[in-house]
Amino acid sequence: MVEVEGNSVLALIIVFSASIILFFYYYYCYYYHIYEHHGKNIPPGSLGFPVIGESWSFVKAQREDKGSEWIEKRVAMHGTVFKTSLMGCPTVVVTGRTGNKFVFSADDESLSVKQPPSIAMLVGKYNVLELTGPRYKHVKSVVMRFLKPEAIQEYIDPMNSIMKNTLNSLKVKDSVLIVPLMKRLTFNITCSLLFGLHDEPTNDALFEDFSHLFKGLWSVPLNLPGTAFRRALHARSNIVQRVTPILKSRRKKIIEEVVNANSDMLSGLITRLSDEEIIDNFVALMVASHDTTAILLTLMVWKLARDPQIYQKVSQEQSAIIKERQEKTNGKLTWSEIQKMKYTWRVAQEIMRMIPPVFGNFRKAMKDINFAGYDIPKGWQVFWEVTQTHMNNGIFENATSFDPSRFENSSRSIQTFTYIPFGAGSRMCLGNEFARVEALTVMHHLVTNFEWSQLIPDEPITRNPMPYPSKGLPIKLKVKETSDML
């Protein structure tokens, strides 16, 4: 009798759940296909399942580093402009140089930088990456005070010190996992130099929180137990709880003139924004400033391990810098020396072309707009992506071949809106110069002190949501005889 009742309850639950799903499905079909689409020339494509859309297949393709194939499959079916549904919102995907130009040339009144609601919940709606108009200009002006070349030059000595400590910890090891090393290294640099955070236990806790938040950014936005999105929401809450007392203490020190308001970006934001705005920008800038650079550094180590010829050329350039320095003075790495690392940076540029840290990103239509003869309704997302230009043989000759010389001189100029690892237009990444200097500083110290080889030669690349070697890139280290470690 109990079993029958239990089965009846189970059946009722199944019927009720199915009814709810069908309700949302029919509502979805009615609203988007009948009402919203009526009389409009919407791009071809599929909106997928209710609410979830095609997010499952999109995220799965990203994790298998097959995002470009996911795009190409739909381009083959529907053309260079197609519709789908990602992160809970109907989306128009635009590809190629024309699509990039459309996105990066649009004004905020037509195509805003607003992210999907799920990402905004994690990063915060008041961060500089989403702001528009006068408020964007105000916050950007504060942030750029600490990212302009004059400020970045002052970061080189502290970066040298952080790298020396890292190298000294590595010299006693035979092997190391590069992914966690680079994530932690760039996180420490960002905490210390940009935000003036030097308390190790607090930074350790924040590092764990941000690790969970990163994984939830491009996950399927289901706030259910056990999901990456739920863990990311919890991590966001932890970050707010940890940063709030720091803001209170820092504000008090600024008022008492113990800390200069211009000493770091966090202090600069405190004097000009509310706590909610500061936290949103802290989260956004931390996401933007350290994880993408960690990716680039990881992939440079990965590439140099796989290509001895590239390693040798980078090593020769870096060794020449040390030799010239010793002939003049026995000092530390300088700004002028970083400007001489032209080949090393070309290697970085080619890596970002072939394996871009950011696969693409979202904009939001603020009004009904038109592109390539298609209507994009107000409120829909627009997604731009990089592979359709980065890996296009018509733009980059032999696109699948690794060739740093593509970036060698201005006479072989690359068309605008075709090479976009940092975006383009007025919304280009604010910290691209900081990232360049940080990456070159770290690689200088690594290459001049170590040789290395992969312990898993066939280790694949995966995206979660950024591209990393799937096993963490374990490498075998060998200290060079000419090492300059302390």
Side-chain angles (χ1 to χ4, degrees):
M1 184 70 175
V2 173
E3 183 178 349
V4 172
E5 289 179 354
N7 288 338
S8 299
V9 171
L10 179 60
L12 285 172
I13 292 173
I14 292 173
V15 171
F16 177 77
S17 300
S19 299
I20 293 295
I21 291 173
L22 285 172
F23 170 80
F24 278 112
Y25 179 75
Y26 287 122
Y27 176 81
Y28 179 91
C29 290
Y30 173 80
Y31 185 75
Y32 288 122
H33 289 278
I34 298 176
Y35 175 73
E36 192 71 24
H37 291 186
H38 182 68
K40 292 182 178 178
N41 184 26
I42 303 297
S46 171
L47 293 173
F49 294 103
V51 183
I52 295 173
E54 293 193 297
S55 297
W56 284 117
S57 63
F58 180 72
V59 170
K60 182 176 184 293
Q62 291 282 0
R63 288 178 178 172
E64 296 173 354
D65 196 32
K66 294 181 179 179
S68 60
E69 295 177 23
W70 192 93
I71 295 288
E72 287 165 4
K73 177 181 178 181
R74 285 154 180 79
V75 168
M77 292 171 61
H78 309 299
T80 57
V81 183
F82 62 88
K83 73 171 179 282
T84 180
S85 179
L86 299 174
M87 309 306 167
C89 296
T91 305
V92 171
V93 179
V94 298
T95 64
R97 181 177 183 272
T98 305
N100 294 342
K101 183 178 181 180
F102 165 69
V103 170
F104 294 124
S105 300
D107 56 48
D108 289 333
E109 287 70 34
S110 301
L111 203 55
S112 175
V113 291
K114 300 293 182 184
Q115 296 294 296
S118 59
I119 295 179
M121 288 173 67
L122 297 176
V123 180
K125 60 184 178 180
Y126 297 116
N127 77 80
V128 67
L129 306 179
E130 287 207 20
L131 295 176
T132 59
R135 199 61 184 162
Y136 167 71
K137 293 179 180 178
H138 173 68
V139 178
K140 179 183 176 181
S141 68
V142 178
V143 171
M144 288 307 298
R145 292 177 63 184
F146 302 93
L147 293 175
K148 59 186 179 181
E150 298 89 335
I152 294 173
Q153 290 184 49
E154 299 299 319
Y155 299 147
I156 295 176
D157 276 351
M159 281 186 191
N160 281 324
S161 298
I162 292 172
M163 275 307 301
K164 287 290 186 181
N165 291 334
T166 301
L167 293 174
N168 286 331
S169 68
L170 291 178
K171 68 179 181 180
V172 297
K173 299 181 178 180
D174 292 328
S175 63
V176 65
L177 279 173
I178 288 296
V179 170
L181 172 68
M182 291 305 177
K183 279 177 170 283
R184 193 54 200 256
L185 175 60
T186 55
F187 188 85
N188 288 344
I189 288 173
T190 298
C191 281
S192 177
L193 302 190
L194 294 187
F195 296 115
L197 300 176
H198 306 291
D199 182 68
E200 190 170 335
T202 299
N203 291 353
D204 288 344
L206 284 171
F207 180 75
E208 291 301 317
D209 292 332
F210 273 103
S211 296
H212 289 300
L213 188 141
F214 289 138
K215 292 176 182 178
L217 283 175
W218 277 27
S219 63
V220 178
L222 294 177
N223 187 9
L224 298 174
T227 63
F229 188 66
R230 168 69 71 89
R231 289 191 292 271
L233 286 172
H234 182 66
R236 160 80 190 198
S237 177
N238 287 343
I239 292 168
V240 173
Q241 292 178 17
R242 298 187 204 284
V243 173
T244 299
I246 294 174
L247 298 182
K248 182 178 179 181
S249 173
R250 187 74 63 86
R251 182 174 285 108
K252 183 173 182 290
K253 290 179 180 179
I254 292 172
I255 292 173
E256 294 173 351
E257 298 184 348
V258 176
V259 171
N260 190 312
N262 296 317
S263 60
D264 57 76
M265 192 182 294
L266 189 62
S267 299
L269 293 171
I270 282 173
T271 61
R272 295 166 178 84
L273 304 178
S274 68
D275 280 6
E276 186 176 10
E277 291 174 311
I278 296 167
I279 292 173
D280 285 357
N281 280 285
F282 171 76
V283 173
L285 293 167
M286 185 66 79
V287 169
S289 65
H290 105 268
D291 204 46
T292 50
T293 308
I295 291 163
L296 175 58
L297 285 165
T298 295
L299 294 177
M300 290 184 77
V301 171
W302 173 80
K303 180 60 181 176
L304 267 59
R306 296 165 67 90
D307 194 325
Q309 186 177 7
I310 297 291
Y311 174 89
Q312 189 63 29
K313 290 182 179 180
V314 170
S315 180
Q316 288 173 354
E317 180 175 77
Q318 299 300 332
S319 297
I321 288 171
I322 288 182
K323 182 178 179 181
E324 184 178 346
R325 180 195 308 159
Q326 290 173 340
E327 290 174 353
K328 295 179 179 178
T329 175
N330 219 4
K332 300 177 181 178
L333 182 66
T334 65
W335 174 261
S336 62
E337 289 174 341
I338 287 175
Q339 309 316 308
K340 296 176 183 177
M341 301 179 188
K342 299 185 184 302
Y343 181 77
T344 306
W345 184 242
R346 290 199 296 271
V347 170
Q349 288 176 294
E350 182 70 342
I351 287 173
M352 289 188 287
R353 183 188 68 82
M354 298 189 72
I355 313 176
V358 178
F359 176 78
N361 214 333
F362 295 92
R363 298 290 173 98
K364 182 177 180 180
M366 304 307 291
K367 60 184 180 182
D368 288 351
I369 55 178
N370 182 277
F371 173 66
Y374 293 111
D375 295 315
I376 302 176
K378 177 182 177 180
W380 279 43
Q381 294 177 153
V382 173
F383 184 79
W384 58 269
E385 63 84 43
V386 303
T387 60
Q388 296 299 298
T389 56
H390 280 204
M391 300 304 293
N392 187 320
N393 285 316
I395 298 172
F396 295 99
E397 186 178 353
N398 297 321
T400 57
S401 299
F402 191 87
D403 181 10
S405 70
R406 302 178 197 277
F407 303 94
E408 195 164 79
N409 56 62
S410 57
S411 64
R412 295 173 62 182
S413 60
I414 296 170
Q415 284 184 298
T416 56
F417 305 114
T418 59
Y419 180 69
I420 50 174
F422 296 108
S426 63
R427 289 289 186 153
M428 181 178 282
C429 175
L430 300 178
N432 60 335
E433 181 63 9
F434 180 85
R436 184 183 74 90
V437 171
E438 182 179 12
L440 290 174
T441 299
V442 172
M443 289 309 299
H444 169 78
H445 287 287
L446 282 179
V447 171
T448 55
N449 286 286
F450 291 106
E451 295 175 345
W452 58 84
S453 59
Q454 276 186 273
L455 292 176
I456 308 176
D458 59 347
E459 183 177 5
I461 301 293
T462 185
R463 281 184 179 266
N464 193 21
M466 307 292 187
Y468 283 107
S470 61
K471 304 298 183 181
L473 190 56
I475 63 168
K476 183 176 179 60
L477 285 173
K478 178 183 178 183
V479 180
K480 286 185 174 181
E481 294 181 3
T482 55
S483 169
D484 67 344
M485 288 187 293
L486 297 177

